[in-house]
């Protein structure tokens, strides 16, 4: 028996602590140290909030790295998954399934691109896009942007710029020379023109660069690139794995400039957390039977989750919400960060964003801000060393964003 309430609470806290330590210890023993994790074990989530072992709440501005657009465990997604799981979990792609064709039809309507190929992740959708471009043009050259991130499989990594990711794996499948990937400065359309030659199959770009710190290209850039691709007769691939599904305040970031790619890669928010990727292509570009495939790609569970998630985004008006709340955040953060009277906050170099894809570039590395925000119950992520990246669920409230602003400014000031 406990002699007091206080003792009981202490005991419970100690047990929770021990449970957490056990997870850390097992991770050390049994997992490859692939990820640098924050020291918190997450156990449950609803909307924009997740809870750890002890029931402590965190406002989640990481959202599974721009995945949980409709929030954690949205009831409509949970229901769709539960009902589908009771009917049929997996069949292979040797048979037809209804969720797959329904999702393809929905995505075709939303993107304006005719046909879909389903896979299980972002990197896989990029692989499919690179292969399709090679197949359709008979060429294996690509032009990509400095600062790009397209994934970590050997093909997608070949189109990823940062030596930190490429490192020991060079020269990769598509080396930087000859029939490989040429990198040009992001935002410079003329550099794309100069780099495109008779070996080029496609230009691949993120309409806003995510991993490099939420880099927004100059207005008109994507349009100009489209014109260059048409003129030079090369394909244009947009990687909207991070920017898709309302993240930037439009269904897809390409809509900000009304530019249509030939091929579009999607993943992350598509499945609301259930792994799924999709590569869409305009009419006339497609694989034939046997040219590409995936055992799990477009499985009934993944497609049911994605269909439910897309419907939630529509029904709850999350695309507009992202646009409005993103603009609110940028304005309020800028005002608050300079409220002390000076013209600018020297700790903040720039605050930028589109919709709820926001980057706060600091003058110093942001690891400490991330740790201290976590202590105060806000999860944020540091990318490109100095950029605090915020990609909260699109269901986040204004009040929750106010809390994020005040917590971040406590440390940043
Ligand atoms: C733009 C972009 N492309 C591709 C990927 C790779 O996606 P995945 O991690 O699902 O393979 C990412 C992941 O961060 C991304 O942001």
């Amino acid at each position: 028996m406990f002699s007091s309430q206080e003792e009981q609470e202490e005991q419970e806290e100690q047990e929770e602590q021990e449970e957490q330590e056990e997870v850390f210890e097992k991770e050390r023993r049994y997992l490859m140290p692939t990820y640098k994790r924050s020291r918190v074990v997450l156990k449950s989530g609803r909307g924009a909030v997740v809870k750890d072992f002890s029931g402590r709440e965190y406002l989640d501005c990481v959202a599974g790295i721009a995945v949980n657009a409709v929030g954690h465990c949205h009831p409509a997604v949970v229901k769709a998954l539960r009902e589908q799981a009771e009917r049929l979990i997996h069949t292979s792609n040797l048979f037809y399934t209804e969720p797959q064709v329904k999702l393809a039809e929905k995505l075709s309507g939303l993107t304006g691109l005719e046909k879909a190929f389903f896979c299980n992740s972002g990197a896989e959708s990029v692989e499919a896009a690179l292969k399709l471009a090679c197949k359709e043009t008979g060429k294996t050259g690509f032009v990509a942007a400095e600062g790009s991130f397209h994934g970590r499989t050997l093909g997608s990594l070949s189109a990823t710029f940062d030596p930190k990711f490429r490192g020991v794996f060079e020269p990769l499948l598509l080396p930087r020379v000859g029939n490989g990937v040429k990198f040009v400065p992001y935002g410079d359309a003329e550099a794309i023109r100069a780099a495109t030659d008779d070996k080029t199959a496609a230009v691949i770009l993120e309409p806003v660069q995510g991993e490099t710190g939420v880099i927004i290209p100059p207005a008109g850039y994507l349009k100009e690139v489209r014109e260059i691709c048409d003129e030079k007769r090369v394909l244009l691939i947009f990687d909207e794995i991070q920017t898709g599904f309302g993240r930037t305040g439009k269904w897809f970031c390409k809509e900000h400039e009304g530019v249509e790619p030939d091929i579009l890669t999607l993943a992350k928010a598509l499945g609301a957390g259930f792994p799924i990727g999709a590569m869409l292509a305009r009419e006339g570009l497609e694989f034939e039977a046997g040219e590409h495939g995936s055992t799990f790609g477009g499985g009934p569970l993944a497609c049911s989750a994605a269909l439910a998630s897309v419907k939630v985004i529509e029904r709850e008006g999350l695309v507009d919400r992202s646009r409005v709340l993103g603009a609110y955040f940028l304005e309020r953060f800028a005002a608050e960060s300079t409220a002390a009277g000076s013209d600018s906050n020297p700790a903040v170099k720039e605050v930028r964003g589109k919709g709820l894809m926001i980057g706060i570039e600091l003058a110093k590395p942001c690891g400490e801000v991330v740790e201290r925000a976590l202590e105060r119950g806000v999860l944020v992520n540091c990318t490109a060393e100095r950029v605090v990246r915020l990609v909260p669920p699109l269901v986040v409230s204004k009040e929750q964003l106010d809390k994020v602003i005040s917590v971040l400014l406590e440390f940043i000031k």
Side-chain angles (χ1 to χ4, degrees):
M1 278 298 285
F2 295 103
S3 56
S4 70
Q5 170 91 6
E6 214 172 280
E7 268 181 13
Q8 184 176 350
E9 279 171 11
E10 244 174 59
Q11 170 81 14
E12 279 172 10
E13 208 173 291
Q14 197 182 333
E15 280 169 14
E16 282 153 7
Q17 201 62 37
E18 281 167 11
E19 276 180 76
Q20 294 221 30
E21 284 306 322
E22 201 184 321
V23 173
F24 297 148
E25 179 50 29
K26 284 188 176 161
E27 145 104 20
R28 260 191 304 277
R29 282 193 64 184
Y30 299 115
L31 279 159
M32 294 196 190
T34 326
Y35 307 103
K36 218 171 115 196
R37 303 188 205 267
S38 296
R39 275 182 74 81
V40 59
V41 184
L42 297 177
K43 233 179 160 178
S44 63
R46 278 288 174 285
V49 173
V50 284
K51 284 189 191 174
D52 71 7
F53 250 102
S54 60
R56 185 162 179 233
E57 294 193 346
Y58 302 84
L59 220 170
D60 186 6
C61 290
V62 179
I65 319 184
V67 165
N68 305 103
V70 299
H72 291 275
C73 298
H74 192 290
V77 176
V78 173
K79 181 168 179 273
L81 276 170
R82 188 183 295 127
E83 287 177 359
Q84 185 58 49
E86 280 168 2
R87 273 197 301 271
L88 185 68
I89 292 178
H90 178 75
T91 59
S92 87
N93 279 307
L94 300 178
F95 306 96
Y96 295 88
T97 56
E98 203 184 16
Q100 191 176 115
V101 292
K102 278 188 170 171
L103 182 62
E105 181 186 23
K106 186 78 200 165
L107 292 180
S108 176
L110 286 172
T111 64
L113 291 160
E114 208 192 29
K115 286 197 175 163
F117 168 81
F118 289 114
C119 49
N120 311 285
S121 67
E124 278 178 70
S125 65
V126 172
E127 290 293 334
L130 299 176
K131 277 180 76 175
L132 184 63
C134 291
K135 183 225 149 166
E136 292 291 353
T137 61
K139 299 171 185 177
T140 56
F142 290 88
V143 177
E146 291 174 6
S148 60
F149 184 88
H150 296 294
R152 294 170 188 269
T153 53
L154 285 174
S156 63
L157 189 58
S158 302
T160 292
F161 178 70
D162 198 329
K164 160 175 102 201
F165 302 118
R166 303 168 66 95
V168 295
F169 307 107
E170 296 269 16
L172 298 169
L173 288 186
L174 300 161
R176 283 169 189 252
V177 289
N179 284 339
V181 182
K182 289 186 196 161
F183 290 98
V184 297
Y186 188 58
D188 180 350
E190 283 311 309
I192 287 186
R193 187 193 299 282
T196 307
D197 59 24
D198 58 2
K199 297 191 181 81
T200 311
V203 172
I204 177 166
L205 290 175
E206 296 155 85
V208 170
Q209 288 185 333
E211 296 306 298
T212 312
V214 188
I215 309 295
I216 301 165
Y221 172 62
L222 301 177
K223 220 175 207 160
E224 237 181 292
V225 173
R226 174 73 269 180
E227 282 162 16
I228 292 166
C229 288
D230 287 343
E231 201 185 300
K232 299 251 184 175
R233 294 176 170 274
V234 302
L235 299 174
L236 177 59
I237 304 169
F238 279 167
D239 178 346
E240 292 234 33
I241 288 163
Q242 193 159 150
T243 52
F245 298 99
R247 175 57 53 196
T248 70
K250 296 271 186 195
W251 267 98
F252 299 98
C253 193
K254 66 189 179 70
E255 295 163 30
H256 288 285
E257 286 195 19
V259 179
E260 294 307 331
D262 301 291
I263 301 174
L264 181 69
T265 59
L266 302 172
K268 289 199 184 271
L270 171 57
F274 200 96
I276 179 167
M279 186 265 302
L280 285 108
R282 70 161 162 76
E283 198 180 349
L285 302 179
E286 62 187 7
F287 288 122
E288 299 301 327
E291 285 180 339
H292 199 51
S294 161
T295 297
F296 292 118
L301 270 184
C303 291
S304 298
L307 268 169
S309 177
V310 166
K311 283 183 193 158
V312 169
I313 296 174
E314 275 175 338
R315 201 169 54 237
E316 298 186 9
L318 297 184
V319 177
D320 278 346
R321 191 182 174 83
S322 170
R323 180 177 50 77
V324 171
L325 287 182
Y328 169 77
F329 185 99
L330 288 184
E331 197 177 307
R332 172 109 206 267
F333 189 92
E336 297 262 323
S337 70
T338 55
S342 62
D343 284 347
S344 65
N345 180 335
V348 178
K349 279 188 77 179
E350 193 182 28
V351 191
R352 50 183 180 258
K354 249 188 191 338
L356 283 170
M357 183 169 180
I358 294 164
I360 303 169
E361 186 172 343
L362 303 182
K364 291 197 301 190
C366 51
E368 199 189 327
V369 170
V370 172
E371 269 176 44
R372 294 180 66 182
L374 179 108
E375 284 162 18
R376 294 274 282 105
V378 175
L379 304 185
V380 295
N381 153 253
C382 176
T383 188
E385 224 174 296
R386 284 161 196 253
V387 182
V388 178
R389 177 176 42 177
L390 305 169
V391 281
L394 309 183
V395 294
V396 73
S397 71
K398 213 172 186 181
E399 292 69 32
Q400 285 171 321
L401 289 177
D402 287 341
K403 178 178 172 181
V404 175
I405 292 171
S406 66
V407 164
L408 288 179
L409 283 175
E410 253 177 58
F411 315 127
I412 291 174
K413 271 176 179 167

